[in-house]
Amino acid sequence: MQTHEVFNQVPDIAPFDVSRNPALLEGLHREGAGWAEAEVRELGVLAGGVEAQEWGLLANEYPPVLHTHDRYGHRVDEVEFHPHWHDLMNVAVSHGLHGAPWLDERPGAHVARAAKFYTWGAADAGHMCPISMTYAVVPALRHNKELSAKYEPLLGSRVYDFGLREPSSKAGLIAGMSMTEKQGGSDVRANTTTATPQPDGSYRIVGHKWFTSAPMSDMFLTLAQAPGGLSCFLLTRVLPDGTRNPLRIQRLKDKLGNKSNASSEIEYENATGWLVGAEGAGVKTIIEMVNMTRLDCVIGSATGMRTGVVFAAHHARHREAFGAKLIDQPAMRNVLADLVIESDAATTVMMRLAGATDRATSDPAEAALRRIALAVTKYWVCKRAPSHAAEALECFGGNGYAEESGMPRLYREAPLMSIWEGSGNVAALDALRAMGRQPETVEAYFAEVSLARGANPRLDDAIARVGKELADLSDIEYRARRVVELMALVLQGAQLVRHGHPAVADAFCASRLGDDWGIAFGTLPTGVDTGAILERALV
């Protein structure tokens, strides 16, 4: 029997168009990849569709399972994924979110890939990890011309070919990375894995890696101590003769989030590896892969912010309290507008970094800017993501704390990007290291932000403050986070002033670069055009 009428319920947001995002599409055209808009929009409709949202949900509710042995006791070291994990991977690979840009000679190829990575990531963040590593491995692998010529076309192939076979016999490859060890952590030079040269030119690798994501990948870059020092090696799961390389998966990590993706500990039992780069140049070689994945950390955090504020705005648009829609309540408008500003700032600077990646190979100034801008942005944008996700969740009230809202998964995912490829202190100190070793990066930074001089007095004052901070080298490591935070905010402000919506740019500078802003989201000063800002989050 019907007992009462149920009303004031929010409709499901799916299907929705993830690519309906002005900051993303404007950046796509501005950075030279407008030719990719149709594919970005196609992915946006797909990512926000009921089917893809369900794929992401189920791939996280039923995480990977490790099978170390078969029924007869033979060692197999295989990870079983939910079928929808493979659906997600297939879309990502077929749309070129992995190594494809390295084979694409069109200007803006990396910008197009960044926009697609950002868009498709709204379906599920976990599977983007192996996609990111496959993208990032290519420039590092080029330090060995023979290996690069053999595998690069397959790393850029738009065919998802899952299964254990000799890599050159497959239609497409997925790559991973193993750097961290128990005793080393971020200090990879403390690693104790050994690499012993063999008569055939290969190396025998022995050691234990504490974190290896996506252990079912076809190949991995890893660090090991060779006679000439810490070096970089390529290991394939299946050797050229068809036998399995003894990469023993010891266990899968039980993580806070990122549940759909398998992260593992791996033991190398006299595994076979091939040198990439020179002996002793392991960090210098693999850092090229690390830097590319750092770009994807920024993209992933920006994706999470956009998803959070879109979901929160949708809820507020349909939910009523105290006689009015939540989105019309002044306090809620302040919160939502603040979340939009943060999201737009992250997206806009992310697209600028992608543009610098495209141009860095032929433009030294862009290469220098990318080096410093990526370091400061990786620190700040990834650091902001968890608090952004928490505030977006709170917009739902108790409904946001329930798993079915999708917000807890977003919240659990948010801290990963700040930890992956160097946590906060590592990222901040890397920015200082870049400025100390490559003074041209400082020049490139100031040249970039100075393009916005004269448009906003708060931004002008903040640029001057950066100069003062960098002129004072006393206790610079102690002040690392403060300095890098200010640099990141100024960079974001400069991009918004030049390219963002005027209401967003003005509010960003008034809050982030002014003195009239509280600690929590929702403390924007009065006079902000919340209406124009909120329009950017309504899909």
Side-chain angles (χ1 to χ4, degrees), residues 211-445:
F211 274 101
T212 299
S213 278
M216 290 304 290
S217 298
D218 299 293
M219 57 180 55
F220 305 87
L221 285 191
T222 194
L223 293 177
Q225 300 287 356
L230 189 64
S231 307
C232 180
F233 298 90
L234 176 73
L235 284 78
T236 59
R237 291 210 67 209
V238 180
L239 297 171
D241 63 4
T243 61
R244 291 194 182 186
N245 212 359
L247 279 60
R248 307 304 188 195
I249 305 176
Q250 302 297 73
R251 63 168 176 163
L252 299 185
K253 301 288 191 178
D254 185 8
K255 299 168 294 183
L256 170 67
N258 205 245
K259 295 289 189 179
S260 66
N261 178 42
S263 298
S264 65
E265 293 175 43
I266 283 187
E267 193 87 29
Y268 299 143
E269 292 185 2
N270 286 310
T272 298
W274 292 271
L275 185 65
V276 179
E279 278 196 8
V283 174
K284 182 180 179 181
T285 301
I286 207 168
I287 202 67
E288 295 201 38
M289 184 176 186
V290 171
N291 279 333
M292 289 298 169
T293 49
R294 282 176 176 168
L295 172 61
D296 285 355
C297 289
V298 174
I299 300 173
S301 291
T303 298
M305 289 185 190
R306 177 65 182 178
T307 303
V309 72
V310 165
F311 279 34
H314 174 79
H315 180 87
R317 191 182 191 183
H318 293 91
R319 183 74 170 172
E320 187 175 306
F322 309 111
K325 298 294 185 184
L326 285 177
I327 201 168
D328 294 326
Q329 306 276 8
M332 181 60 80
R333 291 179 73 80
N334 195 321
V335 171
L336 291 172
D338 215 352
L339 293 174
V340 173
I341 292 165
E342 196 74 26
S343 172
D344 266 24
T347 301
T348 303
V349 77
M350 173 271 289
M351 293 301 285
R352 179 65 182 94
L353 289 172
T357 299
D358 255 311
R359 296 182 285 271
T361 54
S362 58
D363 187 337
E366 286 290 287
L369 176 65
R370 184 188 182 281
R371 175 67 181 94
I372 187 63
L374 178 56
V376 300
T377 302
K378 197 278 181 186
Y379 167 80
W380 180 242
V381 170
C382 298
K383 186 68 67 181
R384 292 291 285 167
S387 56
H388 191 280
E391 197 68 61
L393 182 154
E394 191 175 322
C395 291
F396 288 68
N399 292 321
Y401 205 66
E403 287 289 342
E404 61 191 3
S405 72
M407 301 306 288
R409 175 156 65 100
L410 188 70
Y411 179 67
R412 289 191 298 268
E413 197 71 40
L416 175 60
M417 297 297 100
S418 187
I419 296 169
W420 192 24
E421 306 303 8
S423 53
N425 285 347
V426 172
L429 293 173
D430 182 54
L432 298 185
R433 187 180 304 111
M435 292 185 282
R437 295 180 179 178
Q438 299 169 270
E440 65 273 18
T441 62
V442 181
E443 296 175 9
Y445 174 85

Side-chain angles (χ1 to χ4, degrees), residues 18-328:
V18 176
S19 68
R20 188 176 174 182
N21 180 347
L24 177 70
L25 296 178
E26 290 162 8
L28 185 72
H29 286 268
R30 185 173 59 250
E31 298 296 337
W35 50 265
E37 181 175 344
E39 190 174 7
V40 172
R41 287 187 175 276
E42 175 192 342
L43 268 179
V45 173
L46 188 59
V50 174
E51 185 177 49
Q53 291 291 308
E54 185 74 2
W55 290 352
L57 174 65
L58 292 176
N60 281 273
E61 285 194 354
Y62 300 95
V65 177
L66 171 63
H67 303 289
T68 55
H69 297 78
D70 65 14
R71 60 185 293 190
Y72 302 106
H74 301 126
R75 189 90 195 204
V76 293
D77 296 289
E78 294 183 358
V79 178
E80 179 184 0
F81 293 90
H82 189 278
H84 286 326
W85 163 272
H86 300 294
D87 291 327
L88 292 161
M89 288 288 290
N90 183 57
V91 171
V93 170
S94 65
H95 283 79
L97 277 60
H98 59 326
W102 303 106
L103 307 179
D104 192 338
E105 296 182 354
R106 289 175 293 182
H110 292 274
V111 174
R113 182 261 175 189
K116 291 187 290 184
F117 190 93
Y118 173 105
T119 301
W120 181 242
D124 168 67
H127 79 289
M128 304 305 278
C129 174
I131 294 299
S132 174
M133 291 189 294
T134 306
Y135 168 68
V137 74
V138 173
L141 194 61
R142 287 176 174 175
H143 286 273
N144 185 314
K145 293 183 178 179
E146 181 181 351
L147 293 176
S148 178
K150 184 176 183 180
Y151 295 126
E152 189 172 323
L154 295 171
L155 291 165
S157 166
R158 294 198 178 201
V159 177
Y160 176 57
D161 188 359
F162 182 80
L164 281 175
R165 297 195 306 281
E166 197 278 318
S168 61
S169 70
K170 300 186 71 176
L173 300 176
I174 298 296
M177 177 171 55
S178 292
M179 294 175 61
T180 309
E181 297 182 5
K182 294 178 183 178
Q183 68 282 355
S186 296
D187 183 9
V188 295
R189 294 190 183 278
N191 289 0
T192 59
T193 295
T194 59
T196 305
Q198 301 300 300
D200 65 356
S202 67
Y203 287 72
R204 196 65 67 190
I205 312 294
V206 177
H208 185 105
K209 294 298 178 179
W210 189 236
F211 274 101
T212 299
S213 278
M216 290 304 290
S217 298
D218 299 293
M219 57 180 55
F220 305 87
L221 285 191
T222 194
L223 293 177
Q225 300 287 356
L230 189 64
S231 307
C232 180
F233 298 90
L234 176 73
L235 284 78
T236 59
R237 291 210 67 209
V238 180
L239 297 171
D241 63 4
T243 61
R244 291 194 182 186
N245 212 359
L247 279 60
R248 307 304 188 195
I249 305 176
Q250 302 297 73
R251 63 168 176 163
L252 299 185
K253 301 288 191 178
D254 185 8
K255 299 168 294 183
L256 170 67
N258 205 245
K259 295 289 189 179
S260 66
N261 178 42
S263 298
S264 65
E265 293 175 43
I266 283 187
E267 193 87 29
Y268 299 143
E269 292 185 2
N270 286 310
T272 298
W274 292 271
L275 185 65
V276 179
E279 278 196 8
V283 174
K284 182 180 179 181
T285 301
I286 207 168
I287 202 67
E288 295 201 38
M289 184 176 186
V290 171
N291 279 333
M292 289 298 169
T293 49
R294 282 176 176 168
L295 172 61
D296 285 355
C297 289
V298 174
I299 300 173
S301 291
T303 298
M305 289 185 190
R306 177 65 182 178
T307 303
V309 72
V310 165
F311 279 34
H314 174 79
H315 180 87
R317 191 182 191 183
H318 293 91
R319 183 74 170 172
E320 187 175 306
F322 309 111
K325 298 294 185 184
L326 285 177
I327 201 168
D328 294 326

